[in-house]
Amino acid sequence: MKKVKVLASVVSVAMIAGLFAGCSKTTTIGADKFIKACEKLKLEEADYDDSIDEVDYEDGVYACIEEDDIEDRQEELLDLLEEVTLDTVIDVEDVLSVGLAVKTSGTDDFEDIEDPEDLADVEAEGALAFQMTLADNYTEDIMEYFETKLDMIDVDVKDLSSKEYFSSKNEGYIRFNIDVAQLVKIVSEDDDLMDLLDEATGDAEDIMDSWSDLKGTIGFSIEVNANNVFIIAGGSLNAKADTLNSFCGAFGASCNPSKLPMNKEVVEDLVDKVADLAMMFAGYF
C-alpha cells in the first residue's frame, strides 16, 4: 500500500464512484462482455449443438447465443430452461442472450476411483460461469424461485448471513461456500450416516480416516440484477481453486464464493437432511 494520505484519497474516490454507480451488490454482464472474458481466459469457443462427449473441458470451453441469433434458437433455449426448471419462471421469448463457460483440471482422477478411499488421491478443480440477459426485470421471480428450492432442502434464507443472501426489487443474490475438510468432519460426527456407510461398505471408520486429510472448497453465487442473471460456481479437491479465482477476475464477479466463510449451521442441517433421506431409502431395501 501507499502512504496513508494516498490511500485515503483512493478510498474517497472509490466511495464517490460507488455512489454514482448505485453501489451494485451483484455482477451485471452481457453477451459481449462475457465473450471478451472467455477470450481473455483463452477458452475455446464451442457450439450449443456439440454433444458433451465432443467437448474438452480440460482446455476450457464457452458457448454464447447472442441477441441476433436468439430467435432461431427458441427451441434450444426452452430445453435449457426446462433442464434447470426455470421454464416456469422465465418466458423464453424474454431471453435476449445466454452464455456458458466451463473449465476443469484433474477431473480424470475421478474415473480412477474404485474404492471410497481413492478419493484421497484426487487432485481436481474447476469452474463454471453462466449469463442470461432478459427483456424484463425478473429479480423478484427468480429470487423467490431459488428461495423455494432452498426451503425444499430445509434451508431457510433467514439462517443465511448478509454475505450469503440479499433480495430487493431490482437486485438479489444467494451465495454459499462449503469447506471440504469441515464437511468431512461433520459427516464423520453424524451417527446415522456413519451407520449407513458401515452397512454399505463394512469399513466406515477406515474410509473416514482416509478422508481426514481431504481439503478443498465448493462455492457458488447466483446473482440477479433486474434483467441480468449471472452464476459463477466451482471449487477444488486437494488442489487450489485456481480456475474459479481466474474466472472471478475475468468475468468481474462481485464476489468470489470460495472466499466466503462456511455457514456451519446450514451445512449441518443439510447433512441431517441427507441422513434422513438415506435412512428413509434404506428402509425400502
Side-chain angles (χ1 to χ4, degrees), residues 30-264:
D32 290 344
K33 186 178 177 181
F34 188 88
I35 292 172
K36 287 180 181 178
C38 292
E39 292 174 344
K40 180 180 179 180
L41 289 165
K42 297 182 179 180
L43 307 183
E44 182 179 348
E45 184 177 8
D47 193 286
Y48 265 98
D49 296 327
D50 290 344
S51 69
I52 293 176
D53 294 334
E54 296 174 337
V55 177
D56 186 355
Y57 295 112
E58 292 271 341
D59 290 337
V61 296
Y62 78 94
C64 192
I65 303 176
E66 299 178 75
E67 190 168 355
D68 292 342
D69 302 319
I70 213 76
E71 289 187 9
D72 299 329
R73 313 296 287 268
Q74 293 287 301
E75 188 173 335
E76 296 172 48
L77 288 173
L78 183 58
D79 289 341
L80 173 64
L81 291 176
E82 288 177 347
E83 283 183 19
V84 296
T85 68
L86 279 172
D87 56 305
T88 59
V89 182
I90 298 172
D91 186 340
V92 67
E93 294 184 357
D94 282 341
V95 179
L96 301 181
S97 73
V98 173
L100 176 67
V102 182
K103 185 176 182 180
T104 62
S105 175
T107 51
D108 289 344
D109 288 353
F110 287 104
E111 298 177 5
D112 298 328
I113 293 179
E114 297 181 359
D115 301 304
E117 290 91 339
D118 294 338
L119 196 62
D121 298 324
V122 173
E123 293 184 5
E125 54 96 23
L128 171 152
F130 172 85
Q131 82 83 222
M132 181 181 290
T133 305
L134 305 165
D136 202 358
N137 185 345
Y138 272 88
T139 300
E140 292 181 321
D141 293 333
I142 294 175
M143 291 302 296
E144 183 179 349
Y145 167 81
F146 283 116
E147 288 163 21
T148 302
K149 289 295 183 182
L150 288 174
D151 188 59
M152 291 173 63
I153 55 174
D154 293 340
V155 175
D156 191 331
V157 294
K158 294 179 182 178
D159 295 330
L160 302 180
S161 70
S162 59
K163 292 181 179 180
E164 297 170 314
Y165 172 82
F166 172 80
S167 182
S168 68
K169 184 177 181 180
N170 296 310
E171 198 171 15
Y173 58 75
I174 295 175
R175 298 166 175 156
F176 207 61
N177 181 49
I178 296 177
D179 181 271
V180 173
Q182 292 187 58
L183 175 62
V184 170
K185 186 174 185 299
I186 291 171
V187 170
S188 68
E189 293 172 349
D190 189 289
D191 293 336
D192 290 334
L193 279 180
M194 290 299 291
D195 287 344
L196 287 170
L197 184 61
D198 200 50
E199 289 179 14
T201 65
D203 55 359
E205 188 173 336
D206 289 341
I207 291 173
M208 296 314 296
D209 283 343
S210 71
W211 290 358
S212 62
D213 292 328
L214 291 180
K215 57 185 178 180
T217 185
I218 304 167
F220 69 85
S221 181
I222 301 168
E223 309 178 20
V224 190
N225 192 317
N227 67 332
N228 190 259
V229 180
F230 178 71
I231 299 174
I232 191 156
S236 63
L237 181 63
N238 299 323
K240 293 182 179 180
D242 290 334
T243 302
L244 179 56
N245 293 336
S246 63
F247 267 42
C248 287
F251 290 105
S254 59
C255 173
N256 183 335
S258 70
K259 305 300 183 183
L260 293 174
M262 188 180 87
N263 191 321
K264 186 177 179 181

